Amino acid sequence: MKPHFNQLLEGTDLSFEETKALFNACFQEEVSDTELSAILVALKMKQPTAEELAGLAEVIHTNSPFQFELELPAMDNCGTGGDRSNSFNISTCAAFVLAGAGVTVAKHGNRRISSQTGSADVLEELGVSLDLTKSQMKYMLQENQIAFLFAQHVHPTLKQIAGVRQKLRTPTIFNLVGPLTNPVALHSQLVGVYSNDALPIVAKSLQTLGRKRALVIHGAGGMDEASLQGENNYILLENNELKAGSIHPEEVGLSVYTNQEIEGDDAKRNAEILLSVLNGEPGAYLDTVLFNTAIALFAIGRVDSVKDGMEIARHSVFSGNAKAKLDTLVDYSQEAKQEVV
């Protein structure tokens, strides 16, 4: 560990393999909070590279006791958080719309970061279990096209690092790496990031990690989701090449709304918003979810354009398919809890 740490102190970038060696040592050896803090601060001061981000993500993924593969291609649509927008749970809601459209979604998430309510908070409010076993998660993904993977549950090795991050009280490489650490072997991803500067770093990391196809987006008004407020910048990973682009909601027939119009609140209120969207209640909340779902469908190559994805997203909601995916996950969660009791 020491040679690579010294490289960071000197401002030298680590390779993918060197980063893996450094953090594998952190997870497998007795490392003090002071040593962990020094590593994270050194990376922050130097500014993390795509290789370092991918190396850390790979270590977290392989150290999870919940890692597994599926017969069908799976995706995730988790964002980094950190945009301080206080928006409702857009990607969580979109995940059910994607599942209703036949996409297998291993929805990775955590408790609140930049919003008042994180994906884990709102799903817990709705009755979804946060501590399903690996076999139960796999069953739900195969039978229901969606399962929730609570980050704190599926990455127990990160407990010490979580404590160090709280004490540091400053953004670190871990503010970017979360969406890249899903324990399921993903085929593709839609990743929202909190700044334009993070777009190429995260996109190149996904390329290094071997995603077949992915899209990294930064929303209008500084959101880590696609926003209806204006132009959204993205980088698409396709055929191992990175292509920059942008998209405006009016290009797909949607009205413009400010980000303030999609703000959320506590878990109870956000659960109400999520249900209203899945029940097809018109307005900014629904349109935002449809937009993000359509972009996710484009990200995985299901459609040739985001506009084409809008029709599929609408059908998932108005056919009741999206809501049925949530209902099945809640029912299964309740049955699982009764079995434990």
Side-chain angles (χ1 to χ4, degrees):
M1 183 179 79
K2 190 173 181 180
H4 300 317
F5 175 53
N6 288 337
Q7 285 178 257
L8 293 178
L9 291 178
E10 294 166 0
T12 302
D13 294 337
L14 301 182
S15 68
F16 177 68
E17 293 298 333
E18 288 170 339
T19 306
K20 285 172 59 178
L22 173 63
F23 281 101
N24 268 320
C26 289
F27 290 146
Q28 295 171 10
E29 300 175 9
E30 288 293 329
V31 178
S32 69
D33 286 358
T34 301
E35 289 171 318
L36 280 174
S37 297
I39 290 169
L40 296 183
V41 171
L43 270 168
K44 178 183 175 68
M45 297 300 291
K46 183 189 71 61
Q47 296 188 340
T49 65
E51 290 281 303
E52 291 164 346
L53 189 63
L56 173 57
E58 179 72 9
V59 170
I60 296 172
H61 172 84
T62 56
N63 276 276
S64 171
F66 285 81
Q67 61 173 309
F68 59 88
E69 295 186 9
L70 294 168
E71 293 180 6
L72 295 174
M75 79 163 297
D76 191 8
N77 66 333
C78 178
T80 59
D83 63 6
R84 302 183 184 279
S85 67
N86 291 321
S87 60
F88 78 106
N89 304 95
I90 299 168
S91 63
T92 306
C93 192
F96 290 102
V97 184
L98 283 166
V103 177
T104 301
V105 186
K107 183 68 183 84
H108 191 228
N110 214 331
R111 294 200 182 275
R112 68 188 186 102
I113 299 176
S114 58
S115 59
Q116 295 188 55
T117 306
S119 54
D121 303 304
V122 70
L123 290 176
E124 188 175 47
E125 176 71 23
L126 289 164
V128 174
S129 174
L130 304 185
D131 57 1
L132 293 179
T133 65
K134 181 163 68 173
S135 62
Q136 289 170 334
M137 290 176 186
K138 192 170 184 178
Y139 177 79
M140 273 288 92
L141 286 167
Q142 292 172 333
E143 300 297 321
N144 192 46
Q145 285 73 59
I146 187 168
F148 181 64
L149 288 73
F150 180 33
Q152 294 178 35
H153 178 54
V154 300
H155 299 300
T157 55
L158 295 184
K159 186 175 182 179
Q160 182 185 6
I161 290 178
V164 170
R165 289 178 65 200
Q166 288 178 347
K167 292 175 183 176
L168 283 176
R169 295 185 179 181
T170 186
T172 69
I173 190 172
F174 278 88
N175 290 77
L176 280 177
V177 80
L180 310 182
T181 62
N182 196 310
V184 176
L186 299 176
H187 180 273
S188 57
Q189 276 188 264
L190 171 64
V191 180
V193 296
Y194 54 77
S195 75
N196 273 315
D197 291 341
L199 282 171
I201 298 172
V202 174
K204 290 175 184 176
S205 297
L206 289 166
Q207 185 181 40
T208 301
L209 290 168
R211 298 292 187 269
K212 301 300 181 184
R213 190 176 164 104
L215 189 144
V216 185
I217 194 162
H218 175 60
M223 290 190 63
D224 74 325
E225 314 270 3
S227 164
L228 298 178
Q229 184 166 294
E231 203 75 25
N232 300 273
N233 298 321
Y234 68 79
I235 295 179
L236 174 68
L237 169 62
E238 182 182 29
N239 297 323
N240 205 34
E241 294 182 0
L242 299 175
K243 305 172 185 177
S246 63
I247 186 165
H248 193 284
E250 291 178 338
E251 294 176 39
V252 298
L254 293 173
S255 300
V256 173
Y257 290 93
T258 67
N259 290 340
Q260 287 68 39
E261 293 176 86
I262 56 167
E263 288 184 354
D265 204 320
D266 59 15
K268 182 178 180 181
R269 173 56 184 151
N270 280 18
E272 292 171 351
I273 293 171
L274 189 149
L275 290 173
S276 75
V277 170
L278 297 187
N279 286 322
E281 185 176 316
Y285 294 124
L286 173 62
D287 284 359
T288 299
V289 169
L290 293 175
F291 191 33
N292 278 271
T293 302
I295 291 171
L297 290 166
F298 172 64
I300 64 175
R302 172 79 176 272
V303 293
D304 294 329
S305 70
V306 176
K307 190 171 184 179
D308 291 340
M310 288 295 298
E311 183 178 348
I312 296 174
R314 290 185 191 280
H315 180 267
S316 176
V317 171
F318 293 107
S319 66
N321 289 344
K323 177 63 163 47
K325 298 299 181 182
L326 171 62
D327 292 341
T328 299
L329 184 56
V330 171
D331 290 345
Y332 185 78
S333 294
Q334 299 309 309
E335 290 173 6
K337 287 181 180 178
Q338 291 175 3
E339 288 177 8
V340 172
V341 174

